[in-house]
Amino acid sequence: MARYSREHKAQSRQRLIEAAASLFRKRGYDGVGVDELCGAAGLTRGAFYGHFDSKAELLSAVLGGAHDFVRRLRARTATTYKGLRRQAVDIAQDYLAPGNRRAVISGCSIAALAIDAARGDDRAQKEYAQAVSAVLEEMDRLGDNSAAAGNRDAARDPDAARAALALCVGGLLIDNACGKNRIGQQVARAAQKEVARLLA
């Protein structure tokens, strides 16, 4: 029997994670079965269990993977604390923009899989907590010349970043859950304003 290379195995595993991330965000963890995950990844059920002991383990891998919110925050180019915060406000407001809701909810596991992580096992919750920590760390990044510019002294209370993240995720989830009802958009827009105030 031919053996697959490590590279092939790593690619197969990544295909499963990417397929699961997309399907879990779209329909929830309980709304997707192993056979469908395998079909979406172009792999057999046997291949699935060659990489993961269970669907729960796959959820942990998804939560431990890349997160669009973190990626966008890490891509900021400002070099001062104040500039980084301005860019964080822009990213958070885009995150909450009602017109972007569908794209964000289908691309951000932090928002889309919050409930699944809460219902998951300790591994899933640990991975989710690490993703939350990564967002908060990025929101409080001081900048390359923070000491010279006095930005370290200007750094805000870390609770501001925590509250801003709660508004981003909560506002998006409420807007998404309300569907076409305007109340969801109103909540998201109010969250946008409060995030700008918190991160100013």
Side-chain angles (χ1 to χ4, degrees):
M1 181 180 290
R3 295 195 175 198
Y4 290 116
S5 67
R6 286 185 182 178
E7 182 180 357
H8 181 275
K9 289 178 181 177
Q11 289 173 350
S12 296
R13 186 178 193 278
Q14 188 58 33
R15 276 162 48 200
L16 277 166
I17 292 171
E18 289 173 3
S22 177
L23 288 168
F24 288 164
R25 288 191 295 254
K26 184 177 181 180
R27 300 215 309 271
Y29 174 79
D30 288 332
V32 185
V34 170
D35 288 337
E36 186 176 4
L37 289 166
C38 293
L43 297 169
T44 65
R45 194 177 180 90
F48 175 91
Y49 288 107
H51 293 290
F52 301 101
D53 290 335
S54 64
K55 194 173 73 160
E57 186 178 345
L58 177 56
L59 174 62
S60 296
V62 168
L63 292 170
H67 295 276
D68 191 55
F69 203 178
V70 178
R71 181 186 62 77
R72 288 176 184 272
L73 288 168
R74 285 181 178 157
R76 288 174 297 165
T77 56
T79 57
T80 66
Y81 182 78
K82 198 174 247 186
L84 287 165
R85 290 289 259 213
R86 277 196 302 267
Q87 290 177 333
V89 168
D90 290 342
I91 291 165
Q93 290 190 317
D94 281 347
Y95 190 89
L96 284 162
N100 293 340
R101 182 185 71 191
R102 185 169 293 177
V104 175
I105 205 76
S106 67
C108 179
S109 295
I110 292 175
L113 298 182
I115 302 302
D116 289 316
R119 293 172 178 159
D121 59 19
D122 289 345
R123 291 173 301 179
Q125 292 171 7
K126 180 180 178 181
E127 295 293 354
Y128 189 86
Q130 288 176 345
V132 168
S133 294
V135 171
L136 296 175
E137 182 179 333
E138 274 303 311
M139 280 188 176
D140 278 334
R141 178 154 48 107
L142 294 173
D144 298 335
N145 61 350
S146 57
N151 290 331
R152 189 171 297 278
D153 294 333
R156 303 292 193 268
D157 183 338
D159 278 347
R162 294 170 188 150
L165 176 57
L167 284 163
C168 285
V169 174
L172 182 66
L173 287 173
I174 289 172
D175 187 18
N176 191 53
C178 288
K180 296 179 180 178
N181 293 284
R182 290 180 59 195
I183 188 66
Q185 294 181 13
Q186 292 168 355
V187 167
R189 288 196 177 101
Q192 281 180 312
K193 291 179 184 177
E194 188 63 14
V195 164
R197 186 190 70 77
L198 285 165
L199 297 182

